[in-house]
């Protein structure tokens, strides 16, 4: 999936466990299970989640690639058990089963992988498709993303996210992403930085739930402290905006991604749609606006990376939509599955993980090394070379390192 970093997830929604194998991180990176668990817990919360998240208390088991709290440079395997498996052990058993006894889900749900997947994989029950296409898989991605976040933290790069809208309720963006603001966002039930809007979003979710309906919305992901020059405009597959958009769009139910203020930009004349370049002795080269969202020509330009993702409403409804029974070809209502009402707050946390993986990969592409120390030496040399023009914004500075003079 990525260049330097490769990740492969496995696991069904109600199977025994989710597994992810991550390769490409240098040796010597600190990895603590509690930091991964913290990210997993952030994915599980959010007003509007369903009963499943009350059952699961995701905890990571580090299976390989880490010794005494540090990466070895070898593939890292992470495992997250599905607690709900004990209720599904028969339905999800890997042993051969009597197909007569099996309850077939033959009425595919609109908005899901059910229909196309049944045809593609020759499945008579949507269960064979939905177990893997379910967003439960994203817990594995969040675990992998936690490694990327930890790696970027070593270089003073921080990633955060928040909800921008749910249904018709829109929030004000925060002025900055100070640690206090980021903490407050995480404490908010819908991960919204605007308290007024947050209250209205909760009302909107309650209202939708009361009608047996669901809601979508938008979330933002911001990256602070990334140096100019990550990504490339010389190879189309390395263009960072394209890679970030693809990574965010790979999150189930994310249907569009906006880089910076692209929608507004598209409506403006060219003279008003760019971020003019300034120099001043403290901040060095910088921009007064950030419509480009920190990416120009497929590369970071040293400003904050800012991305928005558009999430469609959850497709499984307690009042199911019409479909066709795949056995009789008669009209039917879609089968019901336990479902969330609104997943935008959780999707934002998954967005952080995906963005972290892409940025870490682009960072390692530019500052390759087999050990964290090698990467650090390379990054320091680059910062020195560009020091007339750009420096990391405070307080996002390199962590002190025992090899530093
Ligand atoms: C965190 C998260 C939780 C989700 N939970 C549900 C759910 O409970 N029920 C549901 O129908 N869809 C849920 N979805 C959305 C579906 O996974 C998604 O719409 C479906 O797989 C089809 O993919 P697509 O929307 O990208 O086309 C969830 C998505 C995310 C990101």
């Amino acid at each position: 999936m990525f260049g330097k970093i490769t990740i492969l997830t496995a696991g069904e929604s109600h199977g025994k466990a989710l597994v992810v194998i991550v390769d490409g991180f240098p040796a010597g990176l600190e990895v603590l299970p509690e930091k991964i668990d913290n990210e997993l817990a952030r994915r599980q919360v959010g007003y509007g989640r369903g009963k499943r998240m009350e059952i699961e208390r995701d905890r990571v088991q580090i299976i390989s690639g880490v010794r005494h709290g540090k990466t070895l440079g070898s593939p890292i395997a992470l495992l997250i058990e599905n607690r709900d498996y004990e209720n599904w052990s028969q339905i999800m058993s890997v042993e051969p089963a009597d197909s007569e006894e099996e309850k077939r889900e033959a009425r595919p749900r609109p908005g899901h992988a059910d229909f196309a997947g049944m045809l593609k994989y020759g499945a008579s029950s949507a269960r064979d498709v939905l177990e893997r296409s379910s967003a439960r898989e994203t817990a594995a991605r969040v675990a992998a993303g936690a490694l990327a976040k930890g790696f970027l933290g070593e270089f003073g790069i921080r990633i955060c996210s928040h909800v921008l809208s749910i249904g018709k309720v829109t929030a004000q963006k925060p002025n900055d992403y100070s640690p206090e603001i980021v903490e407050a966002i995480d404490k908010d039930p819908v991960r919204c930085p605007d308290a007024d809007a947050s209250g209205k979003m909760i009302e909107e979710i309650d209202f939708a739930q009361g009608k047996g309906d669901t809601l979508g919305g938008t979330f933002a992901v911001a990256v602070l402290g990334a140096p100019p020059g990550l990504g490339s405009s010389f190879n189309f597959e390395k263009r960072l905006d394209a890679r970030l958009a693809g990574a965010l769009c790979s999150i189930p139910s994310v249907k569009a991604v906006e880089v910076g203020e692209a929608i507004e930009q598209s409506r403006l004349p060219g003279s008003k749609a760019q971020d003019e370049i300034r120099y001043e002795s403290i901040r060095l080269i910088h921009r007064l606006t950030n419509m480009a969202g920190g990416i120009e020509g497929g590369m970071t330009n040293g400003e904050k990376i800012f991305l928005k993702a558009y999430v469609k409403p959850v497709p499984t409804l307690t009042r199911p939509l019409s479909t066709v029974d795949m056995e009789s070809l008669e009209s039917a209502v879609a089968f019901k599955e336990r479902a969330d009402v609104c997943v935008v707050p959780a999707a934002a946390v998954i967005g952080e993980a995906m963005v972290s993986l892409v940025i870490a990969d682009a960072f390692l592409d530019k500052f390759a090394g087999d050990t964290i120390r090698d990467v650090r030496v390379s990054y320091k040399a680059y910062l020195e070379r560009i020091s007339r023009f750009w420096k990391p914004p405070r307080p996002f500075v390199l962590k002190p390192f025992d090899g530093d003079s």
Side-chain angles (χ1 to χ4, degrees):
M1 177 188 180
F2 298 101
K4 297 284 164 189
I5 298 172
T6 53
I7 73 169
L8 179 65
T9 71
E12 279 71 45
S13 178
H14 300 95
K16 276 188 190 166
L18 298 164
V19 179
V20 58
I21 296 180
V22 187
D23 193 25
F25 281 109
L29 172 67
E30 185 184 77
V31 175
L32 300 173
E34 49 273 29
K35 290 213 170 147
I36 303 175
D37 287 345
N38 184 43
E39 295 299 322
L40 291 172
R42 291 175 69 234
R43 191 197 76 97
Q44 290 193 278
V45 293
Y47 198 79
R49 298 302 303 273
K51 293 270 175 229
R52 173 81 191 267
M53 286 306 113
E54 289 171 21
I55 297 170
E56 300 299 345
R57 286 284 170 276
D58 290 340
R59 294 267 180 281
V60 74
Q61 291 173 43
I62 301 174
I63 306 294
S64 74
V66 177
R67 182 163 177 262
H68 300 317
K70 297 245 164 109
T71 54
L72 297 168
S74 55
I76 302 166
L78 307 174
L79 183 144
I80 304 156
E81 273 179 20
N82 285 324
R83 281 199 183 183
D84 207 10
Y85 176 67
E86 62 185 43
N87 303 314
W88 289 76
S89 55
Q90 220 130 34
I91 298 171
M92 291 306 294
S93 169
V94 295
E95 302 298 327
D98 179 355
S99 60
E100 293 301 306
E101 276 177 23
E102 197 195 333
K103 182 177 159 256
R104 287 205 188 128
E105 312 287 12
R107 295 163 293 135
R109 296 160 303 164
H112 271 280
D114 302 358
F115 171 70
M118 286 171 84
L119 296 193
K120 182 175 167 73
Y121 298 106
S124 55
S125 173
R127 176 73 44 208
D128 286 342
V129 178
L130 73 94
E131 279 292 331
R132 177 64 186 159
S133 63
S134 154
R136 175 83 188 129
E137 179 264 352
T138 59
R141 297 198 221 176
V142 168
L147 302 176
K149 252 188 167 183
F151 169 78
L152 293 171
E154 293 289 322
F155 302 95
I157 301 172
R158 275 200 312 147
I159 286 98
C160 42
S161 72
H162 57 85
V163 167
L164 276 171
S165 70
I166 286 180
K168 292 198 182 103
V169 184
T170 305
Q172 294 289 329
K173 273 190 289 186
N175 294 331
D176 72 44
Y177 292 98
S178 66
E180 296 73 36
I181 289 180
V182 171
E183 201 183 320
I185 290 169
D186 265 351
K187 283 192 178 141
D188 185 82
V190 281
R191 305 200 64 250
C192 175
D194 170 345
D196 270 1
S198 166
K200 289 184 190 137
M201 287 171 182
I202 289 169
E203 282 171 23
E204 189 97 338
I205 293 169
D206 287 342
F207 187 68
Q209 186 164 28
K211 289 194 305 176
D213 218 328
T214 62
L215 289 173
T218 56
F219 67 82
V221 181
V223 181
L224 303 123
L230 300 183
S232 174
S233 57
F234 294 169
N235 304 86
F236 70 86
E237 77 284 2
K238 287 190 177 179
R239 287 186 74 103
L240 199 66
D241 39 7
R243 298 191 61 204
L244 288 165
L248 284 172
C249 240
S250 76
I251 301 170
S253 74
V254 170
K255 293 293 130 193
V257 175
E258 188 181 353
V259 180
E261 303 302 332
I263 292 176
E264 193 187 335
Q265 247 179 341
S266 72
R267 295 180 182 134
L268 291 171
S271 56
K272 297 208 165 62
Q274 317 306 328
D275 307 306
E276 291 186 74
I277 302 174
R278 304 287 157 109
Y279 176 86
E280 151 290 276
S281 60
I282 309 272
R283 285 180 67 192
L284 309 183
I285 289 181
H286 65 282
R287 316 298 173 101
L288 294 183
T289 55
N290 188 19
M291 301 199 78
I295 301 176
E296 289 171 315
M299 290 176 286
T300 49
N301 64 8
E303 298 295 311
K304 172 178 72 193
I305 301 173
F306 189 75
L307 306 153
K308 289 182 221 164
Y310 293 72
V311 181
K312 80 180 191 188
V314 172
T316 305
L317 303 172
T318 48
R319 288 191 191 167
L321 299 171
S322 54
T323 186
V324 167
D325 186 307
M326 298 285 277
E327 280 165 18
S328 65
L329 295 185
E330 304 273 326
S331 295
V333 287
F335 75 93
K336 278 197 238 172
E337 181 87 345
R338 191 172 44 199
D340 299 318
V341 179
C342 176
V343 299
V344 187
V349 175
I350 303 161
E352 274 180 41
M354 295 309 292
V355 167
S356 300
L357 284 161
V358 172
I359 301 290
D361 189 53
F363 196 92
L364 277 167
D365 193 38
K366 179 145 176 50
F367 309 108
D370 290 319
T371 68
I372 274 283
R373 191 193 174 106
D374 296 345
V375 180
R376 198 181 165 87
V377 167
S378 170
Y379 186 46
K380 274 188 93 172
Y382 180 64
L383 288 183
E384 222 161 279
R385 175 160 74 73
I386 65 169
S387 61
R388 270 187 75 211
F389 313 106
W390 188 86
K391 64 180 178 192
R394 280 200 206 126
F396 311 115
V397 288
L398 274 172
K399 275 193 194 164
F401 184 64
D402 54 14
D404 290 343
S405 51

mmCIF file of all heavy atoms in Angstrom, residues 359-393:
data_model
loop_
_atom_site.group_PDB
_atom_site.id
_atom_site.type_symbol
_atom_site.label_atom_id
_atom_site.label_comp_id
_atom_site.label_asym_id
_atom_site.label_seq_id
_atom_site.Cartn_x
_atom_site.Cartn_y
_atom_site.Cartn_z
ATOM 1 N N ILE A 359 2.215 10.286 5.930
ATOM 2 C CA ILE A 359 3.265 11.283 6.207
ATOM 3 C C ILE A 359 4.545 10.574 6.679
ATOM 4 O O ILE A 359 5.656 10.932 6.268
ATOM 5 C CB ILE A 359 2.799 12.320 7.266
ATOM 6 C CG1 ILE A 359 1.527 13.057 6.797
ATOM 7 C CG2 ILE A 359 3.914 13.322 7.595
ATOM 8 C CD1 ILE A 359 1.712 14.010 5.645
ATOM 9 N N ALA A 360 4.391 9.552 7.518
ATOM 10 C CA ALA A 360 5.576 8.811 7.989
ATOM 11 C C ALA A 360 6.281 8.154 6.803
ATOM 12 O O ALA A 360 7.522 8.142 6.719
ATOM 13 C CB ALA A 360 5.168 7.751 9.014
ATOM 14 N N ASP A 361 5.485 7.644 5.871
ATOM 15 C CA ASP A 361 6.058 6.997 4.694
ATOM 16 C C ASP A 361 6.816 8.009 3.832
ATOM 17 O O ASP A 361 7.942 7.734 3.381
ATOM 18 C CB ASP A 361 4.915 6.354 3.895
ATOM 19 C CG ASP A 361 5.442 5.481 2.786
ATOM 20 O OD1 ASP A 361 6.263 4.606 3.079
ATOM 21 O OD2 ASP A 361 5.048 5.687 1.630
ATOM 22 N N ALA A 362 6.213 9.182 3.620
ATOM 23 C CA ALA A 362 6.875 10.222 2.812
ATOM 24 C C ALA A 362 8.132 10.718 3.534
ATOM 25 O O ALA A 362 9.151 11.017 2.898
ATOM 26 C CB ALA A 362 5.904 11.379 2.572
ATOM 27 N N PHE A 363 8.081 10.776 4.856
ATOM 28 C CA PHE A 363 9.232 11.215 5.654
ATOM 29 C C PHE A 363 10.380 10.217 5.499
ATOM 30 O O PHE A 363 11.533 10.588 5.280
ATOM 31 C CB PHE A 363 8.793 11.337 7.117
ATOM 32 C CG PHE A 363 9.740 12.136 7.978
ATOM 33 C CD1 PHE A 363 9.568 13.502 8.151
ATOM 34 C CD2 PHE A 363 10.806 11.521 8.617
ATOM 35 C CE1 PHE A 363 10.433 14.239 8.939
ATOM 36 C CE2 PHE A 363 11.682 12.249 9.413
ATOM 37 C CZ PHE A 363 11.490 13.623 9.580
ATOM 38 N N LEU A 364 10.026 8.922 5.579
ATOM 39 C CA LEU A 364 11.062 7.888 5.452
ATOM 40 C C LEU A 364 11.590 7.797 4.021
ATOM 41 O O LEU A 364 12.739 7.394 3.805
ATOM 42 C CB LEU A 364 10.508 6.531 5.898
ATOM 43 C CG LEU A 364 10.540 6.319 7.410
ATOM 44 C CD1 LEU A 364 9.692 5.118 7.809
ATOM 45 C CD2 LEU A 364 11.977 6.130 7.903
ATOM 46 N N ASP A 365 10.759 8.184 3.057
ATOM 47 C CA ASP A 365 11.215 8.213 1.667
ATOM 48 C C ASP A 365 12.309 9.267 1.520
ATOM 49 O O ASP A 365 13.296 9.076 0.819
ATOM 50 C CB ASP A 365 10.012 8.548 0.773
ATOM 51 C CG ASP A 365 10.304 8.304 -0.688
ATOM 52 O OD1 ASP A 365 10.990 7.311 -0.983
ATOM 53 O OD2 ASP A 365 9.863 9.115 -1.526
ATOM 54 N N LYS A 366 12.131 10.392 2.207
ATOM 55 C CA LYS A 366 13.100 11.498 2.089
ATOM 56 C C LYS A 366 14.293 11.324 3.030
ATOM 57 O O LYS A 366 15.412 11.682 2.687
ATOM 58 C CB LYS A 366 12.370 12.817 2.384
ATOM 59 C CG LYS A 366 13.257 14.021 2.311
ATOM 60 C CD LYS A 366 12.557 15.247 1.774
ATOM 61 C CE LYS A 366 13.469 16.461 1.800
ATOM 62 N NZ LYS A 366 14.782 16.209 1.182
ATOM 63 N N PHE A 367 14.017 10.802 4.235
ATOM 64 C CA PHE A 367 15.087 10.707 5.246
ATOM 65 C C PHE A 367 15.270 9.233 5.638
ATOM 66 O O PHE A 367 15.079 8.857 6.790
ATOM 67 C CB PHE A 367 14.733 11.560 6.475
ATOM 68 C CG PHE A 367 14.353 12.966 6.126
ATOM 69 C CD1 PHE A 367 13.046 13.407 6.228
ATOM 70 C CD2 PHE A 367 15.320 13.865 5.674
ATOM 71 C CE1 PHE A 367 12.694 14.707 5.886
ATOM 72 C CE2 PHE A 367 14.978 15.165 5.324
ATOM 73 C CZ PHE A 367 13.661 15.584 5.428
ATOM 74 N N ALA A 368 15.620 8.416 4.649
ATOM 75 C CA ALA A 368 15.678 6.969 4.887
ATOM 76 C C ALA A 368 16.766 6.607 5.894
ATOM 77 O O ALA A 368 17.762 7.319 6.025
ATOM 78 C CB ALA A 368 15.936 6.254 3.563
ATOM 79 N N GLY A 369 16.570 5.508 6.599
ATOM 80 C CA GLY A 369 17.583 5.025 7.544
ATOM 81 C C GLY A 369 17.097 3.760 8.210
ATOM 82 O O GLY A 369 15.887 3.568 8.368
ATOM 83 N N ASP A 370 18.042 2.909 8.602
ATOM 84 C CA ASP A 370 17.661 1.656 9.264
ATOM 85 C C ASP A 370 17.447 1.837 10.755
ATOM 86 O O ASP A 370 16.865 0.969 11.411
ATOM 87 C CB ASP A 370 18.742 0.585 9.036
ATOM 88 C CG ASP A 370 18.753 0.123 7.587
ATOM 89 O OD1 ASP A 370 17.654 -0.048 7.021
ATOM 90 O OD2 ASP A 370 19.841 -0.023 7.018
ATOM 91 N N THR A 371 17.974 2.929 11.302
ATOM 92 C CA THR A 371 17.748 3.201 12.732
ATOM 93 C C THR A 371 17.155 4.602 12.855
ATOM 94 O O THR A 371 17.350 5.450 11.977
ATOM 95 C CB THR A 371 19.058 3.178 13.541
ATOM 96 O OG1 THR A 371 19.850 4.314 13.135
ATOM 97 C CG2 THR A 371 19.847 1.899 13.324
ATOM 98 N N ILE A 372 16.473 4.828 13.944
ATOM 99 C CA ILE A 372 15.908 6.162 14.216
ATOM 100 C C ILE A 372 17.035 7.188 14.198
ATOM 101 O O ILE A 372 16.877 8.302 13.701
ATOM 102 C CB ILE A 372 15.192 6.131 15.594
ATOM 103 C CG1 ILE A 372 13.770 5.631 15.417
ATOM 104 C CG2 ILE A 372 15.198 7.446 16.290
ATOM 105 C CD1 ILE A 372 12.815 6.680 14.842
ATOM 106 N N ARG A 373 18.197 6.789 14.675
ATOM 107 C CA ARG A 373 19.330 7.702 14.716
ATOM 108 C C ARG A 373 19.761 8.122 13.299
ATOM 109 O O ARG A 373 20.021 9.297 13.044
ATOM 110 C CB ARG A 373 20.484 7.010 15.462
ATOM 111 C CG ARG A 373 21.596 7.932 15.788
ATOM 112 C CD ARG A 373 22.814 7.115 16.214
ATOM 113 N NE ARG A 373 23.909 8.020 16.398
ATOM 114 C CZ ARG A 373 24.385 8.380 17.572
ATOM 115 N NH1 ARG A 373 23.874 7.893 18.665
ATOM 116 N NH2 ARG A 373 25.364 9.232 17.653
ATOM 117 N N ASP A 374 19.799 7.144 12.372
ATOM 118 C CA ASP A 374 20.160 7.461 10.974
ATOM 119 C C ASP A 374 19.165 8.469 10.388
ATOM 120 O O ASP A 374 19.550 9.425 9.706
ATOM 121 C CB ASP A 374 20.113 6.206 10.083
ATOM 122 C CG ASP A 374 21.137 5.154 10.479
ATOM 123 O OD1 ASP A 374 22.066 5.485 11.236
ATOM 124 O OD2 ASP A 374 20.988 4.000 10.032
ATOM 125 N N VAL A 375 17.896 8.235 10.657
ATOM 126 C CA VAL A 375 16.848 9.114 10.110
ATOM 127 C C VAL A 375 17.014 10.514 10.698
ATOM 128 O O VAL A 375 16.909 11.527 10.006
ATOM 129 C CB VAL A 375 15.441 8.551 10.438
ATOM 130 C CG1 VAL A 375 14.348 9.455 9.886
ATOM 131 C CG2 VAL A 375 15.269 7.135 9.890
ATOM 132 N N ARG A 376 17.324 10.531 11.954
ATOM 133 C CA ARG A 376 17.477 11.801 12.657
ATOM 134 C C ARG A 376 18.655 12.621 12.107
ATOM 135 O O ARG A 376 18.545 13.830 11.898
ATOM 136 C CB ARG A 376 17.699 11.460 14.138
ATOM 137 C CG ARG A 376 17.464 12.593 15.029
ATOM 138 C CD ARG A 376 17.750 12.121 16.438
ATOM 139 N NE ARG A 376 17.872 13.298 17.241
ATOM 140 C CZ ARG A 376 16.847 13.882 17.803
ATOM 141 N NH1 ARG A 376 15.645 13.384 17.684
ATOM 142 N NH2 ARG A 376 17.021 14.985 18.482
ATOM 143 N N VAL A 377 19.753 11.927 11.859
ATOM 144 C CA VAL A 377 20.945 12.606 11.324
ATOM 145 C C VAL A 377 20.599 13.221 9.969
ATOM 146 O O VAL A 377 20.924 14.381 9.673
ATOM 147 C CB VAL A 377 22.122 11.590 11.214
ATOM 148 C CG1 VAL A 377 23.267 12.158 10.381
ATOM 149 C CG2 VAL A 377 22.609 11.198 12.607
ATOM 150 N N SER A 378 19.886 12.458 9.164
ATOM 151 C CA SER A 378 19.507 12.919 7.829
ATOM 152 C C SER A 378 18.556 14.128 7.928
ATOM 153 O O SER A 378 18.710 15.115 7.203
ATOM 154 C CB SER A 378 18.855 11.737 7.100
ATOM 155 O OG SER A 378 18.267 12.142 5.929
ATOM 156 N N TYR A 379 17.607 14.058 8.860
ATOM 157 C CA TYR A 379 16.640 15.156 9.009
ATOM 158 C C TYR A 379 17.339 16.422 9.513
ATOM 159 O O TYR A 379 17.085 17.530 9.039
ATOM 160 C CB TYR A 379 15.508 14.738 9.957
ATOM 161 C CG TYR A 379 14.390 15.769 10.045
ATOM 162 C CD1 TYR A 379 13.870 16.343 8.885
ATOM 163 C CD2 TYR A 379 13.848 16.154 11.267
ATOM 164 C CE1 TYR A 379 12.849 17.282 8.946
ATOM 165 C CE2 TYR A 379 12.829 17.091 11.329
ATOM 166 C CZ TYR A 379 12.337 17.657 10.165
ATOM 167 O OH TYR A 379 11.330 18.593 10.219
ATOM 168 N N LYS A 380 18.244 16.237 10.465
ATOM 169 C CA LYS A 380 18.967 17.405 11.013
ATOM 170 C C LYS A 380 19.782 18.094 9.922
ATOM 171 O O LYS A 380 19.834 19.325 9.846
ATOM 172 C CB LYS A 380 19.888 16.978 12.164
ATOM 173 C CG LYS A 380 19.168 16.947 13.492
ATOM 174 C CD LYS A 380 20.094 16.729 14.633
ATOM 175 C CE LYS A 380 20.546 18.034 15.240
ATOM 176 N NZ LYS A 380 21.309 17.855 16.476
ATOM 177 N N ALA A 381 20.426 17.291 9.073
ATOM 178 C CA ALA A 381 21.237 17.861 7.986
ATOM 179 C C ALA A 381 20.345 18.673 7.050
ATOM 180 O O ALA A 381 20.720 19.755 6.584
ATOM 181 C CB ALA A 381 21.946 16.743 7.232
ATOM 182 N N TYR A 382 19.149 18.164 6.797
ATOM 183 C CA TYR A 382 18.214 18.873 5.907
ATOM 184 C C TYR A 382 17.761 20.190 6.556
ATOM 185 O O TYR A 382 17.759 21.238 5.909
ATOM 186 C CB TYR A 382 17.019 17.966 5.616
ATOM 187 C CG TYR A 382 15.976 18.571 4.698
ATOM 188 C CD1 TYR A 382 16.288 18.894 3.383
ATOM 189 C CD2 TYR A 382 14.668 18.799 5.139
ATOM 190 C CE1 TYR A 382 15.320 19.432 2.527
ATOM 191 C CE2 TYR A 382 13.701 19.322 4.297
ATOM 192 C CZ TYR A 382 14.033 19.645 2.995
ATOM 193 O OH TYR A 382 13.082 20.178 2.154
ATOM 194 N N LEU A 383 17.416 20.107 7.835
ATOM 195 C CA LEU A 383 16.978 21.336 8.533
ATOM 196 C C LEU A 383 18.083 22.384 8.484
ATOM 197 O O LEU A 383 17.810 23.580 8.326
ATOM 198 C CB LEU A 383 16.597 21.033 9.994
ATOM 199 C CG LEU A 383 15.295 20.275 10.221
ATOM 200 C CD1 LEU A 383 15.020 20.113 11.717
ATOM 201 C CD2 LEU A 383 14.103 20.969 9.550
ATOM 202 N N GLU A 384 19.310 21.928 8.601
ATOM 203 C CA GLU A 384 20.432 22.868 8.554
ATOM 204 C C GLU A 384 20.553 23.484 7.153
ATOM 205 O O GLU A 384 20.737 24.687 7.005
ATOM 206 C CB GLU A 384 21.715 22.109 8.894
ATOM 207 C CG GLU A 384 22.618 22.905 9.809
ATOM 208 C CD GLU A 384 23.596 21.977 10.483
ATOM 209 O OE1 GLU A 384 23.170 21.357 11.479
ATOM 210 O OE2 GLU A 384 24.730 21.852 9.975
ATOM 211 N N ARG A 385 20.407 22.633 6.140
ATOM 212 C CA ARG A 385 20.540 23.117 4.756
ATOM 213 C C ARG A 385 19.481 24.153 4.407
ATOM 214 O O ARG A 385 19.746 25.109 3.682
ATOM 215 C CB ARG A 385 20.469 21.922 3.779
ATOM 216 C CG ARG A 385 20.489 22.343 2.317
ATOM 217 C CD ARG A 385 20.901 21.211 1.403
ATOM 218 N NE ARG A 385 19.905 20.184 1.190
ATOM 219 C CZ ARG A 385 18.799 20.336 0.429
ATOM 220 N NH1 ARG A 385 18.540 21.492 -0.122
ATOM 221 N NH2 ARG A 385 17.988 19.319 0.266
ATOM 222 N N ILE A 386 18.262 23.982 4.953
ATOM 223 C CA ILE A 386 17.183 24.918 4.573
ATOM 224 C C ILE A 386 16.974 25.997 5.639
ATOM 225 O O ILE A 386 15.997 26.726 5.597
ATOM 226 C CB ILE A 386 15.854 24.164 4.288
ATOM 227 C CG1 ILE A 386 15.311 23.473 5.548
ATOM 228 C CG2 ILE A 386 16.023 23.161 3.149
ATOM 229 C CD1 ILE A 386 13.882 22.951 5.390
ATOM 230 N N SER A 387 17.926 26.092 6.588
ATOM 231 C CA SER A 387 17.680 26.941 7.761
ATOM 232 C C SER A 387 17.563 28.437 7.446
ATOM 233 O O SER A 387 17.042 29.186 8.255
ATOM 234 C CB SER A 387 18.759 26.701 8.833
ATOM 235 O OG SER A 387 20.014 27.036 8.285
ATOM 236 N N ARG A 388 18.035 28.885 6.278
ATOM 237 C CA ARG A 388 17.834 30.301 5.898
ATOM 238 C C ARG A 388 16.374 30.596 5.566
ATOM 239 O O ARG A 388 15.931 31.731 5.574
ATOM 240 C CB ARG A 388 18.655 30.629 4.635
ATOM 241 C CG ARG A 388 20.046 31.112 4.904
ATOM 242 C CD ARG A 388 20.681 31.553 3.601
ATOM 243 N NE ARG A 388 20.165 32.840 3.130
ATOM 244 C CZ ARG A 388 20.075 33.171 1.845
ATOM 245 N NH1 ARG A 388 20.419 32.323 0.899
ATOM 246 N NH2 ARG A 388 19.643 34.359 1.498
ATOM 247 N N PHE A 389 15.647 29.520 5.223
ATOM 248 C CA PHE A 389 14.305 29.709 4.649
ATOM 249 C C PHE A 389 13.169 29.205 5.542
ATOM 250 O O PHE A 389 12.070 29.728 5.522
ATOM 251 C CB PHE A 389 14.206 28.958 3.310
ATOM 252 C CG PHE A 389 15.378 29.194 2.412
ATOM 253 C CD1 PHE A 389 16.348 28.213 2.228
ATOM 254 C CD2 PHE A 389 15.533 30.415 1.776
ATOM 255 C CE1 PHE A 389 17.430 28.435 1.402
ATOM 256 C CE2 PHE A 389 16.625 30.640 0.942
ATOM 257 C CZ PHE A 389 17.584 29.662 0.760
ATOM 258 N N TRP A 390 13.436 28.114 6.277
ATOM 259 C CA TRP A 390 12.341 27.466 7.029
ATOM 260 C C TRP A 390 12.894 26.861 8.311
ATOM 261 O O TRP A 390 14.014 26.350 8.335
ATOM 262 C CB TRP A 390 11.706 26.343 6.193
ATOM 263 C CG TRP A 390 10.461 25.774 6.816
ATOM 264 C CD1 TRP A 390 9.179 26.242 6.681
ATOM 265 C CD2 TRP A 390 10.367 24.628 7.688
ATOM 266 N NE1 TRP A 390 8.300 25.462 7.403
ATOM 267 C CE2 TRP A 390 9.002 24.463 8.024
ATOM 268 C CE3 TRP A 390 11.300 23.719 8.213
ATOM 269 C CZ2 TRP A 390 8.541 23.442 8.856
ATOM 270 C CZ3 TRP A 390 10.845 22.697 9.053
ATOM 271 C CH2 TRP A 390 9.475 22.568 9.362
ATOM 272 N N LYS A 391 12.102 26.953 9.369
ATOM 273 C CA LYS A 391 12.440 26.199 10.586
ATOM 274 C C LYS A 391 11.140 25.678 11.194
ATOM 275 O O LYS A 391 10.072 26.263 10.951
ATOM 276 C CB LYS A 391 13.208 27.073 11.573
ATOM 277 C CG LYS A 391 12.436 28.242 12.096
ATOM 278 C CD LYS A 391 13.287 29.032 13.068
ATOM 279 C CE LYS A 391 12.518 30.229 13.546
ATOM 280 N NZ LYS A 391 13.240 31.212 14.248
ATOM 281 N N PRO A 392 11.219 24.601 11.975
ATOM 282 C CA PRO A 392 9.991 24.033 12.531
ATOM 283 C C PRO A 392 9.315 25.044 13.440
ATOM 284 O O PRO A 392 9.999 25.733 14.203
ATOM 285 C CB PRO A 392 10.468 22.820 13.335
ATOM 286 C CG PRO A 392 11.859 22.554 12.894
ATOM 287 C CD PRO A 392 12.417 23.840 12.385
ATOM 288 N N PRO A 393 7.983 25.181 13.341
ATOM 289 C CA PRO A 393 7.283 26.118 14.220
ATOM 290 C C PRO A 393 7.379 25.661 15.670
ATOM 291 O O PRO A 393 7.336 24.461 15.936
ATOM 292 C CB PRO A 393 5.835 26.073 13.730
ATOM 293 C CG PRO A 393 5.712 24.778 13.010
ATOM 294 C CD PRO A 393 7.066 24.411 12.506
#
